Amino acid sequence: MSTENAAAAAESLNFLEEIIEADLAAGKHTSILTRFPPEPNGYLHIGHATSICLNFGLALKYGGKTNLRFDDTNPVTEDTEYVESIIADVRWLGFEPANILYASDYFEQLYEWAKVLINKGLAYVDFSSAEEIAAMKGTPTEPGRNSPYRDTAPEENLALFEKMKAGEFPDGHCTLRAKIDMASPNMIMRDPLLYRIKKAHHHRTGDAWCIYPMYDWAHGQSDSIEGITHSICTMEFVPHRELYDWCINHLGIFPSKQYEFARRNLSYAVTSKRKLKQLVEENHVRGWDDPRMPTISGYRRRGYTPESIREFCDRIGVGKREMVADMSLLEFCIREDLNKRALRRFAVLDPLKVVITNYPEGQTEWMETENNPENPDAGKRTLAFTRELWIERDDFMENPPPKYFRLSPGNMVRLKSAFIIRCDSVAKDAAGIVTEVHCTYIPESRSGQDTSGLKVQGVIHWLSASEAVPAEVRMYDRLFQVEDPASEEDFKSTLNPNSLRVAENAVVEPALLQVQPGDKFQFTRLGYFCVDPDSMPGKPVFNRTVTLKDAWAKEQKKG
RNA sequence: UGGCCCGUGGUGUAACGGUAGCACAGCAGAUUUUGGUUCUGUUUGUCAGGGUUCGAAUCCUUGCGGGCCAACCA
């Protein structure tokens, strides 16, 4: 294989890149302009993230630009609260829109263009009720019937449409419809509605309008006005493309083109605004930014980085078939990112007291440990070693199974960056629960200057009982117990009852008192954690972003 | 019973008529003062039948399977 072929093979293009490169090569466009067109009626989720990364990513790759345009054509569901969160989420992901625009900016132009269509005899005012229109629409297997208002003369339609705009008719009294083909095999082309009357307050245009354009009338023309070259949307809009082109052709305006890719789903999650809204409103989660939510704001609070989400979107790629990306890939992406960047800290989530019986009371030695073994530049820190320590309850077992490398009676482990200790005895309460583990330490085994010659298999983290400070640690797990909750008859019946467990008695290094919401750490041997905005002075709250891979947990599952 | 879109390992994605590759997951091993990281090896795949061709994942065809379309939502 030649080097050129090797390079070409290494850089295989997805179908959108192929289209763009062909358009650029053919001189159809000198540069590209894409757009991300959310409706401001909810918070952005991971599905939107894939669309954002696609639109902005393609523009970046080919030296083009991307507009953020709000598809705000339905005043009753939309709100500025959502506008603001969407702008913030796009920026947080790391993208800066070339322009922030609104379909409502084009209402006047859209109105003028509607009149152009009416004058051409291509649109008419229909006084049929919603039910009548539905009845005349036909079905996928039978053609529809023409509306009795279909042949009204253009002049009359014009007058009626102006009356609609002037507010002379009540909501739902009539609509403006395109005159296309009631027998089209494409249901979308059976005289689609262009305008409906809604005497509702719009979050941007206020009460200036009482007629609002439908998606099909607003979207393509908005693209055209902005000069969007590649209007990328999801597959459910494929049948709309015929209408998209029809409108642009009959208006004779800039021919934006629509291309469709398959929606990308995530296993163990739901990504429908309706379902997410239900979870919030029925208090299954604490809000749109609950760290268990697959929203951008949820991932942000959970501790995901923008880089990790972009990497995930990149890795799952883009295609035309319905797909479900594996949650484990998202987890891989955040671990990969944080492994390189997060400083290591010791935290004990479920503390068990260890008393080093041969260590003098009141004595403290300072143990040096690295902040990030992946990055020597991250430096080192010191930890206090004292007679009484906390270790993770999981790291001790009175009757351990085979291959248990941690502490157990008669056995030794290394306290990471400190000494090797041996368990001599345990103390229990009346219920038989181990309350203290009594150990002796090996003075010659100090980390970095170990002359003991001992070899131990287990290394565990620890904290000085007198130095450690309390913290709350929220441990999140997948919100749903099944891979595809949306396919269940009742998706909420598959909610994971253990999606949040709170470690109330956790202790952490004293240095962790000086943190800001959003700060990220690896708690050694446990996982990646992020400071939650709920933190109070003296009582930090940490969210578990993701655990470390756990070979021992896997080993145990095998039984 | 109509039209449109789509079928490649468990998941996702390449191969554009010429050796089915990559990533994640899984499994096995090496290294390791994080049972992490890193490294090595490895199981598993072209929906089915027919056709075109020297040669088909790729082109044609039939079937099967999945998705979308009958909102005054987007």
Side-chain angles (χ1 to χ4, degrees), chain A residues 287-309:
Chain A
W288 286 97
D289 69 342
D290 187 296
R292 293 165 291 183
M293 290 283 274
T295 50
I296 308 278
S297 50
Y299 284 117
R300 177 166 56 228
R301 188 163 181 181
R302 175 83 170 244
Y304 275 79
T305 60
E307 290 82 356
S308 68
I309 292 177

Side-chain angles (χ1 to χ4, degrees), chain A residues 126-147:
Chain A
D126 195 329
F127 290 87
S128 307
S129 69
E131 296 71 33
E132 288 165 338
I133 288 176
M136 288 186 286
K137 191 122 193 177
T139 69
T141 54
E142 310 157 35
R145 301 190 318 274
N146 286 351
S147 163

Side-chain angles (χ1 to χ4, degrees), chain A residues 42-61:
Chain A
Y43 286 75
L44 258 28
H45 55 64
I46 187 73
H48 294 109
T50 63
S51 175
I52 292 168
C53 291
L54 231 203
N55 279 295
F56 282 89
L58 286 169
L60 247 25
K61 176 167 181 176

Side-chain angles (χ1 to χ4, degrees), chain A residues 12 36 77 92 96 98 102 129 156-158 163 192 246 268 271 282 294 304 323 360 369 403 408 424 459 468 524 553:
Chain A
S12 65
F36 172 61
T77 58
W92 178 76
E96 187 57 40
Y102 301 80
S129 69
E156 194 178 339
N157 278 321
L158 211 51
K163 282 187 177 181
W246 185 93
Y268 299 99
T271 47
E282 295 172 17
Y304 275 79
M323 63 88 116
T369 188
K403 296 194 205 167
S408 59
D424 303 316
V459 178
T524 298

Side-chain angles (χ1 to χ4, degrees), chain A residues 35 215 219 231-235 237-238 258-262:
Chain A
R35 103 266 92 115
Y215 165 87
H219 200 92
S231 178
I232 299 163
C233 62
T234 43
M235 295 294 288
F237 291 99
V238 168
Q258 174 182 305
Y259 302 94
E260 311 86 8
F261 70 96

Side-chain angles (χ1 to χ4, degrees), chain A residues 498-520:
Chain A
N498 299 315
S499 60
L500 169 60
R501 285 183 302 124
V502 180
E504 311 270 4
N505 304 316
V507 289
V508 300
E509 293 181 25
L512 255 13
L513 248 20
Q514 274 77 52
V515 290
Q516 296 298 316
D519 286 355
K520 296 168 180 64

Side-chain angles (χ1 to χ4, degrees), chain A residues 60-81:
Chain A
L60 247 25
K61 176 167 181 176
Y62 294 103
K65 290 189 160 116
T66 307
N67 288 342
L68 169 58
R69 183 179 71 238
F70 291 95
D71 238 335
D72 55 349
T73 57
N74 186 0
V76 303
T77 58
E78 298 156 4
D79 197 89
T80 49
E81 174 198 355

